[in-house]
Amino acid sequence: MATQLALEQEGSQSTAPPGRSVSPGRLLWRALWRRRIARAALIYILFFYAVGILAYPITRALGLPGYKTQNLDLSRADPSWEHPFGTDRLGRDQLSRVIYAARTTVVITFITALTGGLLIGPGLGLLAGYRGGWFDSLINRLGEVVSSVPELLIVILLAATIGPRLNDKIAEWYGVPGVGPLLKEGYASLFVIYVVLTFTSWVGGMRLIRALTLAVRATDYVLAARAAGAGTWRVLLRHILPNISYIIVLGVTASFGAVALAEIGLSFLGLGVRPPTPSFGTMILENFRARDLDQYPHLFFVPAFFAVALLLSFNLLGDALNDVLNPRTRHR
Amino acid sequence: MSGALPFIIRRLLAAIPVLFLVSAATFALGRFAPGDPVTVRTGGKVSPERVEAIRESLGLNDPVPVQYLRYMGKFLRGDFGESYRRQGREVSEIIFPKMWVSAQLNVIPFFLAYLIGVPLGIYSALKRGSWQDPAITSILLFLSAVPTVVWIPMLVYVFVLRLDLIPTVGWNGIFSTSIILPIFVLTIGSFAGVARVVRISMIQVMGEDFIRTAHAKGLRSSTVVSRHILRNSLLVLANGIIASLFSLYAGSLFVELGFGIPGIGREMFEAISGRDYDLFMALTMIGAISFILANLVLDIIYTIIDPRIRYA
């Protein structure tokens, strides 16, 4: 409700002609776009995701060698016209690897944030909050168990134990036409990261959405809908969900950044994306040691720059969204 | 304070099934992982018959539930078992010195985070509406956007390799120059969060009616801030203190790996990747037990500092 009000205030400043109703989504978008920092962050995020999605055509168009094409004669070459970011220890083109690392980030953030952050967490929260009873207690106890161990510990434990098993299982599919080559390219290890991150990340979203659902459930219009004979799903999807959808948007935005960060951490520990597939975590791991850093600083700083810029953009966007949706803590 | 004892007992009883699930899941995960602990222990240079004999003597050929019950029986009596990688060394003998290293490493950043974060959050909230507030927020967002694994090489590059200000990296005790960079990284990782929480909490309290009343009855602004706003908004810090203690418990892992410090985070990571069953079981259990106890203590502290909160 506060959310609705905040958006209306934002909207009233805009040039919307009076009398015509503007959807809350549009109001939110306008309020965001008017903030210069949020706009810059959004543009960088869009650029990053476009590069990640179009990794193959872009590298082809630029005439770059593939991310795993080795050239040992050109090990750790300095940046040049041919290799703008230089080459790594195995003589692989660093620009090509940065572009494919963006693709890795795009894939892992999309699948994890959309299922864990959008479907599983809020979905369980909605159901637990609305249904109550044994389902509510079960979900909450499960959440308590997961959150009673430090998150990083669970993630490492799962990645180190389930990870190799899952990878072995997936390796059996390498021969399957169509899917096999994709799995071999390293998408299998992305799936492992996805499972591990989803296991811990649903709890926060579930708790938040459950609390909000409890509040909305107590309103008169939900009572009216139920009195009119609406079933559980109808009430949830038509009456409760639209009222809390902005909070879910906020949560998903935050989880994109968190997932990108977690992938960097896991890959840095050698538990994430497997070589030769590039990711920002593995590229940092390959080039962060003091001796390499001394002689070839660009091999570390260039990928680190693109990764940090993405994380910063998500932070700034999340802050701007928060500002728009929570007028009480706004910077004014 | 009525109702404190039944509350504590109820919470402790509720922790038992949670601990059971955590321990069973961790144990099962350990056994599920590929790689044989005996091969790790013997270094693969021993005949298969001998390996089999060692497996038998360690009880690794028994069904997993039997192994679990036996382990938990020993654990509850205070026997954490033996390390598989470092032959014949007790787990407790390994982990307590490492915990001490991590504790020393984390104590300074812990206080620094609050010493910097709290005043910064207060200042930011009081300057709301002017340029300082969004400027501070942006700087904090920038600092917290850089992951630990990027901070470490960046600082090493600047201060060790280029400026040559700090000679060594590694662990030389708490009173040495090599601790400066780890402390810097750990502090940066946490003070931004503290400042943000303080700012939001301050702003929420500033919007309450009693603050308007305090201003209206003619109190000086400094009195309103120190006696009315601060007192009510610093409550959230109690929650943050426990959270930051635990983020330090696991979070110094990257710092310990990056700077070569023999602390508990690194030990945990190596235990998990090296299939050192007893060692990581002990670490997980100690982590979970202290987490649950800390949250219980936190709930009790809440009722003391804020009488409006009741035991539920």
Side-chain angles (χ1 to χ4, degrees), chain A residues 147-149 152-153 156 160-161 164-165 261 268-269 284 293-294 297 300-301 311-312 315 319 328-331, chain B residues 22 29 32 34 128 133 137 141-142 145 147 149 153-154 157 162 199 203-204 250 253 257 268-269 272 288 291:
Chain A
S147 57
S148 70
V149 183
L152 189 69
L153 183 58
I156 294 176
T161 53
R165 287 279 162 151
L261 178 66
F268 177 82
L269 294 174
I284 289 169
L293 201 60
D294 198 17
F300 162 76
F301 280 102
L311 296 174
L312 177 62
N315 269 3
D319 185 62
R328 290 194 68 189
T329 55
R330 184 176 293 165
H331 291 287
Chain B
V22 168
L29 276 175
F32 181 72
R128 190 174 173 223
D133 177 35
T137 304
L141 285 173
F142 175 75
V149 296
M154 245 165 60
Y157 183 76
R162 285 294 162 267
R199 175 186 173 269
I203 285 174
Q204 274 165 353
L253 162 68
L257 282 173
M268 174 191 82
F269 176 64
I272 292 174
F291 204 66

Side-chain angles (χ1 to χ4, degrees), chain A residues 37 141-142 144-153 156-158 160-162 164-166 168 261 264-266 268-271 284 287-291 293-295 297 300-301 304 307-308 311-313 315-316 319 322-323 327-332, chain B residues 14 18 21-22 26 29-34 128-130 133-134 137-138 141-142 144-147 149-150 152-154 156-157 161-162 199-200 203-205 207-208 246 249-251 253-254 257-258 268-269 272-273 275 280 283-284 287-288 291-292:
Chain A
I37 293 178
R141 290 296 93 75
L142 273 179
E144 257 169 50
V145 173
V146 172
S147 57
S148 70
V149 183
E151 193 175 335
L152 189 69
L153 183 58
I156 294 176
L157 194 59
L158 282 176
T161 53
I162 291 188
R165 287 279 162 151
L166 264 179
D168 290 351
L261 178 66
I264 291 175
L266 272 182
F268 177 82
L269 294 174
L271 296 171
I284 289 169
N287 301 302
F288 91 104
R289 284 175 192 83
R291 198 167 1 113
L293 201 60
D294 198 17
Q295 283 177 287
F300 162 76
F301 280 102
V308 169
L311 296 174
L312 177 62
S313 299
N315 269 3
L316 292 170
D319 185 62
N322 222 338
D323 236 28
R328 290 194 68 189
T329 55
R330 184 176 293 165
H331 291 287
R332 279 198 293 219
Chain B
V18 172
L21 275 176
V22 168
T26 312
L29 276 175
R31 295 306 188 268
F32 181 72
R128 190 174 173 223
S130 72
D133 177 35
T137 304
S138 305
L141 285 173
F142 175 75
S144 55
V146 182
V149 296
V150 173
I152 296 170
M154 245 165 60
V156 167
Y157 183 76
L161 297 174
R162 285 294 162 267
R199 175 186 173 269
I200 290 177
I203 285 174
Q204 274 165 353
V205 175
E208 299 279 345
F246 276 90
Y249 173 85
L253 162 68
F254 291 107
L257 282 173
M268 174 191 82
F269 176 64
I272 292 174
S273 21
R275 316 272 171 267
F280 75 64
L283 287 174
T284 313
F291 204 66
I292 289 170

Side-chain angles (χ1 to χ4, degrees), chain A residues 45-255:
Chain A
I45 292 171
L46 290 178
F47 164 74
F48 187 98
Y49 275 73
V51 168
I53 291 165
L54 302 173
Y56 181 73
I58 288 176
T59 45
R60 284 300 294 272
L62 293 175
L64 295 169
Y67 65 85
K68 53 183 175 182
T69 312
Q70 301 185 4
N71 183 353
L72 293 176
D73 296 335
L74 258 181
S75 174
R76 287 168 169 157
D78 283 337
S80 62
W81 280 113
E82 211 173 328
H83 302 288
F85 294 168
T87 60
D88 70 357
R89 194 172 54 85
L90 298 171
R92 297 174 295 198
D93 180 64
Q94 190 77 350
L95 172 58
S96 180
R97 288 182 66 73
V98 168
I99 291 173
Y100 276 91
R103 186 183 69 169
T104 303
T105 304
V106 169
V107 174
I108 192 70
T109 49
F110 258 121
I111 57 173
T112 311
L114 291 187
T115 53
L118 191 61
L119 288 176
I120 301 177
L124 288 177
L126 269 173
L127 273 178
Y130 186 69
R131 292 281 296 275
W134 65 268
F135 185 76
D136 189 28
S137 345
L138 177 75
I139 296 296
N140 270 305
R141 290 296 93 75
L142 273 179
E144 257 169 50
V145 173
V146 172
S147 57
S148 70
V149 183
E151 193 175 335
L152 189 69
L153 183 58
I154 305 184
V155 168
I156 294 176
L157 194 59
L158 282 176
T161 53
I162 291 188
R165 287 279 162 151
L166 264 179
N167 271 319
D168 290 351
K169 274 268 168 287
I170 293 165
E172 292 167 10
W173 291 67
Y174 278 179
V176 180
V179 190
L182 277 179
L183 294 179
K184 255 190 196 160
E185 289 247 317
Y187 282 100
S189 48
L190 288 183
F191 182 69
V192 173
I193 303 179
Y194 158 70
V195 170
V196 167
L197 291 183
T198 305
F199 189 84
T200 53
S201 64
W202 62 274
V203 182
M206 182 276 286
R207 286 193 179 145
L208 180 65
I209 298 303
R210 175 178 171 274
L212 290 168
T213 307
L214 283 175
V216 178
R217 192 179 76 156
T219 56
D220 289 340
Y221 61 85
V222 169
L223 187 67
R226 284 166 71 186
T232 303
W233 287 103
R234 193 179 162 81
V235 173
L236 276 180
L237 296 179
R238 298 297 299 264
H239 299 278
I240 295 181
L241 188 63
N243 280 292
I244 57 178
S245 55
Y246 296 111
I247 307 299
I248 298 180
V249 169
L250 200 64
V252 171
T253 313
S255 70

